[in-house]
Short mmCIF file of all heavy atoms in Angstrom, two decimals:
data_model
loop_
_atom_site.label_atom_id
_atom_site.label_comp_id
_atom_site.label_asym_id
_atom_site.label_seq_id
_atom_site.Cartn_x
_atom_site.Cartn_y
_atom_site.Cartn_z
N GLN F 1453 -13.44 2.24 3.24
CA GLN F 1453 -12.24 2.78 3.86
C GLN F 1453 -12.34 4.27 4.09
O GLN F 1453 -13.02 4.96 3.33
CB GLN F 1453 -11.01 2.50 3.00
CG GLN F 1453 -10.73 1.00 2.84
CD GLN F 1453 -9.54 0.74 1.97
OE1 GLN F 1453 -9.10 1.60 1.23
NE2 GLN F 1453 -9.01 -0.44 2.07
N PRO F 1454 -11.60 4.79 5.05
CA PRO F 1454 -11.61 6.23 5.28
C PRO F 1454 -10.67 6.90 4.35
O PRO F 1454 -9.94 6.30 3.63
CB PRO F 1454 -11.13 6.31 6.74
CG PRO F 1454 -10.18 5.17 6.83
CD PRO F 1454 -10.77 4.08 6.00
N THR F 1455 -10.69 8.26 4.41
CA THR F 1455 -9.74 9.04 3.62
C THR F 1455 -8.29 8.73 4.01
O THR F 1455 -7.41 8.68 3.19
CB THR F 1455 -10.02 10.55 3.79
OG1 THR F 1455 -11.37 10.80 3.38
CG2 THR F 1455 -9.06 11.36 2.93
N GLN F 1456 -8.02 8.50 5.28
CA GLN F 1456 -6.68 8.24 5.76
C GLN F 1456 -6.29 6.80 5.35
O GLN F 1456 -7.10 5.91 5.30
CB GLN F 1456 -6.58 8.38 7.25
CG GLN F 1456 -6.86 9.78 7.73
CD GLN F 1456 -8.36 10.01 7.95
OE1 GLN F 1456 -9.18 9.23 7.57
NE2 GLN F 1456 -8.66 11.11 8.60
N PRO F 1457 -4.98 6.55 5.09
CA PRO F 1457 -4.54 5.17 4.76
C PRO F 1457 -4.68 4.31 5.98
O PRO F 1457 -4.52 4.75 7.11
CB PRO F 1457 -3.08 5.38 4.40
CG PRO F 1457 -2.65 6.64 5.07
CD PRO F 1457 -3.88 7.52 5.07
N THR F 1458 -4.96 3.01 5.72
CA THR F 1458 -5.06 2.04 6.80
C THR F 1458 -4.11 0.89 6.57
O THR F 1458 -3.58 0.71 5.47
CB THR F 1458 -6.49 1.46 6.89
OG1 THR F 1458 -6.74 0.71 5.68
CG2 THR F 1458 -7.53 2.53 7.00
N SER F 1459 -3.91 0.10 7.60
CA SER F 1459 -2.95 -1.01 7.47
C SER F 1459 -3.43 -2.05 6.46
O SER F 1459 -2.62 -2.78 5.90
CB SER F 1459 -2.71 -1.65 8.87
OG SER F 1459 -3.92 -1.97 9.44
N SER F 1460 -4.72 -2.16 6.21
CA SER F 1460 -5.21 -3.09 5.23
C SER F 1460 -4.74 -2.69 3.83
O SER F 1460 -4.49 -3.54 2.97
CB SER F 1460 -6.74 -3.13 5.23
OG SER F 1460 -7.31 -1.93 4.95
N ARG F 1461 -4.61 -1.41 3.62
CA ARG F 1461 -4.10 -0.90 2.35
C ARG F 1461 -2.66 -1.39 2.14
O ARG F 1461 -2.23 -1.65 1.03
CB ARG F 1461 -4.16 0.60 2.25
CG ARG F 1461 -5.55 1.11 2.07
CD ARG F 1461 -5.52 2.62 1.99
NE ARG F 1461 -6.86 3.12 1.76
CZ ARG F 1461 -7.14 4.38 1.99
NH1 ARG F 1461 -6.25 5.22 2.38
NH2 ARG F 1461 -8.36 4.78 1.79
N TRP F 1462 -1.90 -1.44 3.23
CA TRP F 1462 -0.50 -1.81 3.11
C TRP F 1462 -0.33 -3.20 2.49
O TRP F 1462 0.57 -3.44 1.68
CB TRP F 1462 0.13 -1.77 4.49
CG TRP F 1462 1.57 -2.19 4.45
CD1 TRP F 1462 2.13 -3.32 4.99
CD2 TRP F 1462 2.65 -1.45 3.89
NE1 TRP F 1462 3.45 -3.32 4.78
CE2 TRP F 1462 3.81 -2.20 4.10
CE3 TRP F 1462 2.74 -0.24 3.21
CZ2 TRP F 1462 5.05 -1.78 3.64
CZ3 TRP F 1462 3.97 0.19 2.79
CH2 TRP F 1462 5.11 -0.57 2.98
N ARG F 1463 -1.22 -4.11 2.87
CA ARG F 1463 -1.16 -5.46 2.28
C ARG F 1463 -1.33 -5.41 0.77
O ARG F 1463 -0.67 -6.14 0.05
CB ARG F 1463 -2.23 -6.35 2.91
CG ARG F 1463 -2.12 -6.52 4.40
CD ARG F 1463 -2.88 -7.77 4.86
NE ARG F 1463 -4.23 -7.76 4.32
CZ ARG F 1463 -5.25 -7.25 4.96
NH1 ARG F 1463 -5.13 -6.66 6.10
NH2 ARG F 1463 -6.46 -7.32 4.42
N ARG F 1464 -2.25 -4.54 0.29
CA ARG F 1464 -2.47 -4.43 -1.12
C ARG F 1464 -1.33 -3.69 -1.82
O ARG F 1464 -0.97 -4.01 -2.93
CB ARG F 1464 -3.80 -3.74 -1.36
CG ARG F 1464 -5.00 -4.48 -0.79
CD ARG F 1464 -5.21 -5.78 -1.45
NE ARG F 1464 -6.26 -6.55 -0.82
CZ ARG F 1464 -6.67 -7.76 -1.24
NH1 ARG F 1464 -6.04 -8.30 -2.28
NH2 ARG F 1464 -7.60 -8.38 -0.64
N ILE F 1465 -0.80 -2.68 -1.16
CA ILE F 1465 0.29 -1.91 -1.77
C ILE F 1465 1.50 -2.79 -2.07
O ILE F 1465 2.12 -2.67 -3.11
CB ILE F 1465 0.72 -0.78 -0.80
CG1 ILE F 1465 -0.42 0.28 -0.73
CG2 ILE F 1465 1.97 -0.10 -1.28
CD1 ILE F 1465 -0.26 1.21 0.41
N THR F 1466 1.84 -3.70 -1.20
CA THR F 1466 3.01 -4.53 -1.34
C THR F 1466 2.90 -5.43 -2.55
O THR F 1466 3.90 -5.89 -3.08
CB THR F 1466 3.29 -5.38 -0.08
OG1 THR F 1466 2.17 -6.13 0.25
CG2 THR F 1466 3.67 -4.46 1.06
N LYS F 1467 1.67 -5.72 -3.04
CA LYS F 1467 1.50 -6.54 -4.20
C LYS F 1467 1.93 -5.86 -5.49
O LYS F 1467 2.28 -6.50 -6.47
CB LYS F 1467 0.01 -6.97 -4.32
CG LYS F 1467 -0.47 -7.89 -3.25
CD LYS F 1467 -1.95 -8.12 -3.29
CE LYS F 1467 -2.35 -8.73 -4.63
NZ LYS F 1467 -3.80 -8.98 -4.70
N ILE F 1468 1.87 -4.52 -5.47
CA ILE F 1468 2.11 -3.82 -6.76
C ILE F 1468 3.19 -2.75 -6.65
O ILE F 1468 3.46 -2.01 -7.58
CB ILE F 1468 0.80 -3.14 -7.24
CG1 ILE F 1468 0.13 -2.37 -6.14
CG2 ILE F 1468 -0.11 -4.19 -7.80
CD1 ILE F 1468 -1.15 -1.68 -6.58
N ALA F 1469 3.86 -2.71 -5.48
CA ALA F 1469 4.83 -1.64 -5.26
C ALA F 1469 6.02 -1.73 -6.19
O ALA F 1469 6.76 -0.72 -6.38
CB ALA F 1469 5.36 -1.71 -3.81
N ALA F 1470 6.28 -2.89 -6.80
CA ALA F 1470 7.44 -3.03 -7.70
C ALA F 1470 7.34 -2.16 -8.95
O ALA F 1470 8.34 -1.96 -9.59
CB ALA F 1470 7.55 -4.51 -8.10
N VAL F 1471 6.16 -1.67 -9.29
CA VAL F 1471 6.02 -0.91 -10.52
C VAL F 1471 6.38 0.55 -10.33
O VAL F 1471 6.39 1.34 -11.28
CB VAL F 1471 4.59 -0.98 -11.01
CG1 VAL F 1471 4.17 -2.40 -11.29
CG2 VAL F 1471 3.61 -0.26 -10.08
N ILE F 1472 6.71 0.97 -9.10
CA ILE F 1472 7.04 2.38 -8.85
C ILE F 1472 8.53 2.52 -8.57
O ILE F 1472 9.20 1.55 -8.19
CB ILE F 1472 6.19 2.95 -7.73
CG1 ILE F 1472 6.48 2.21 -6.43
CG2 ILE F 1472 4.74 2.93 -8.07
CD1 ILE F 1472 5.74 2.84 -5.24
N ALA F 1473 9.04 3.72 -8.70
CA ALA F 1473 10.43 3.96 -8.55
C ALA F 1473 10.89 3.91 -7.08
O ALA F 1473 12.02 3.63 -6.78
CB ALA F 1473 10.82 5.31 -9.16
N LEU F 1474 9.96 4.26 -6.15
CA LEU F 1474 10.31 4.29 -4.74
C LEU F 1474 10.42 2.84 -4.21
O LEU F 1474 9.45 2.15 -4.17
CB LEU F 1474 9.24 5.02 -4.00
CG LEU F 1474 9.51 5.29 -2.51
CD1 LEU F 1474 10.73 6.17 -2.34
CD2 LEU F 1474 8.28 5.91 -1.85
N PRO F 1475 11.60 2.43 -3.79
CA PRO F 1475 11.76 1.03 -3.35
C PRO F 1475 10.97 0.77 -2.10
O PRO F 1475 10.87 1.59 -1.22
CB PRO F 1475 13.27 0.94 -3.07
CG PRO F 1475 13.88 2.11 -3.76
CD PRO F 1475 12.86 3.22 -3.77
N VAL F 1476 10.48 -0.45 -2.01
CA VAL F 1476 9.74 -0.85 -0.81
C VAL F 1476 10.67 -0.78 0.41
O VAL F 1476 10.22 -0.45 1.50
CB VAL F 1476 9.23 -2.30 -0.99
CG1 VAL F 1476 8.62 -2.81 0.30
CG2 VAL F 1476 8.19 -2.35 -2.06
N ALA F 1477 11.94 -1.03 0.21
CA ALA F 1477 12.88 -1.01 1.33
C ALA F 1477 12.93 0.37 1.97
O ALA F 1477 13.02 0.49 3.23
CB ALA F 1477 14.26 -1.36 0.88
#
């Protein structure tokens, strides 16, 4: 992957986003 975020990362982020304070919404 490049230094910049990609849409493939988004799929992985949504699996673990619940552990952070910033809501996915």
Side-chain angles (χ1 to χ4, degrees):
Q1453 296 180 342
T1455 301
Q1456 297 86 348
T1458 66
S1459 52
S1460 62
R1461 286 181 179 163
W1462 178 250
R1463 299 199 310 270
R1464 298 295 175 181
I1465 292 165
T1466 55
K1467 292 173 60 179
I1468 50 179
V1471 303
I1472 61 175
L1474 186 62
V1476 173

